[in-house]
Amino acid sequence: ADGSEPQKHLVNDFKEPGIVMGIHNLEKSIRSFAKSCIIYALSKRMDIWFATKDTISKEYHAYFKQIFQEEIDNHMDELLNAGVTYRYLLIDDAVAQMMKHEGGFLLALKNYDGDVMSDMVAAGFGSLGLMTSVLVSPNGQFEYEAAHGTVKRHYYEHLKGNATSTNSLASIFAWIGALGKRAKLDKTMELLEFARALKSAALTTVYDGVMTKDMT
């Protein structure tokens, strides 16, 4: 747009049929991603692990690593005050360490990596029906939702008269998260206590042996 010469890069000189994939991202969106992770980690007082593969993609992934570090540096005082630490790892190293870890940290991943790893973690804990999503914007807005899409499918099966086993825990926990966050924003302790009591009741129900067959 500024009238300068176009930049051209040779990807491959194809001598036979093949395929090319092109991806792009904007600095603004990468910073938004980093800020959202930091906001969420501060709200939960959880350490941050950011993982990508800059040894393979020396420019694209390295750009994510650079911007993430800049945003960490910009929020360093807040992170130190909250006792939140930051680590950068290669994605394969992060996966290996995560499998042996007790949890309790935020693993920041790009879209595809996040889709794969979140399902693996949920399945490792017994059921995708236990997974909730928390969407965080760079300006601190939160949205909580159940991450699985089984309820709609089960409802249609129910309408046909078929037996279903719908795990409602993810939906309940999404409400618990949303109500708890609203309570903290409004400083309404009664609502916060209700959210905590609801969480305790949900967990106690499962520990007492009342659960859907996917968890059994």
Side-chain angles (χ1 to χ4, degrees), residues 4-216:
S4 58
E5 288 296 313
Q7 295 184 37
K8 296 182 180 181
H9 301 276
L10 177 65
V11 177
N12 185 56
D13 185 8
F14 285 93
K15 306 298 185 186
E16 56 184 293
I19 196 165
V20 172
M21 178 176 72
I23 53 176
H24 79 280
N25 223 307
L26 301 179
E27 179 183 335
K28 178 182 176 182
S29 67
I30 301 173
R31 288 197 187 278
S32 293
F33 166 46
K35 289 176 183 176
S36 297
C37 290
I38 292 168
I39 289 168
Y40 188 72
L42 286 170
S43 75
K44 293 289 187 180
R45 294 183 179 270
M46 300 170 73
D47 292 339
I48 306 171
W49 295 12
F50 176 50
T52 183
K53 194 72 173 175
D54 65 299
T55 53
I56 300 298
S57 183
K58 292 182 172 61
E59 292 189 34
Y60 186 82
H61 286 193
Y63 196 53
F64 277 78
K65 178 184 177 183
Q66 171 195 327
I67 291 176
F68 224 97
Q69 185 63 58
E70 289 175 3
E71 289 303 324
I72 290 290
D73 293 341
N74 291 340
H75 294 81
M76 188 55 70
D77 289 343
E78 296 170 78
L79 294 169
L80 288 174
N81 290 336
V84 174
T85 62
Y86 170 71
R87 295 179 67 190
Y88 172 77
L89 304 93
L90 295 175
I91 182 67
D92 44 350
D93 186 26
V95 171
Q97 292 199 37
M98 184 182 73
M99 298 296 285
K100 298 180 288 185
H101 204 279
E102 290 296 315
F105 60 92
L106 185 148
L107 180 57
L109 298 169
K110 299 195 299 303
N111 193 315
Y112 177 77
D113 295 336
D115 284 348
V116 173
M117 295 310 300
S118 59
D119 276 26
M120 189 191 81
V121 171
F125 278 93
S127 170
L128 293 180
L130 297 177
M131 184 164 66
T132 61
S133 287
V134 182
L135 284 67
V136 186
S137 73
N139 58 359
Q141 294 171 319
F142 284 67
E143 179 191 332
Y144 295 77
E145 64 181 19
H148 58 87
T150 57
V151 174
K152 181 179 178 182
R153 178 167 52 84
H154 285 183
Y155 178 63
Y156 286 137
E157 290 298 312
H158 168 72
L159 291 180
K160 297 175 187 175
N162 298 327
T164 63
S165 178
T166 303
N167 191 324
S168 57
L169 273 181
S171 297
I172 295 170
F173 267 75
W175 275 103
I176 290 169
L179 292 172
K181 184 65 180 179
R182 188 72 259 172
K184 290 177 182 177
L185 290 172
D186 297 339
K187 296 181 172 56
T188 49
M189 291 308 298
E190 297 90 343
L191 181 58
L192 187 60
E193 287 302 317
F194 173 76
R196 289 171 177 168
L198 182 57
K199 180 178 181 180
S200 177
L203 292 174
T204 300
T205 301
V206 174
Y207 294 152
D208 285 348
V210 182
M211 65 187 81
T212 48
K213 64 184 180 183
D214 59 327
M215 291 176 63
T216 306

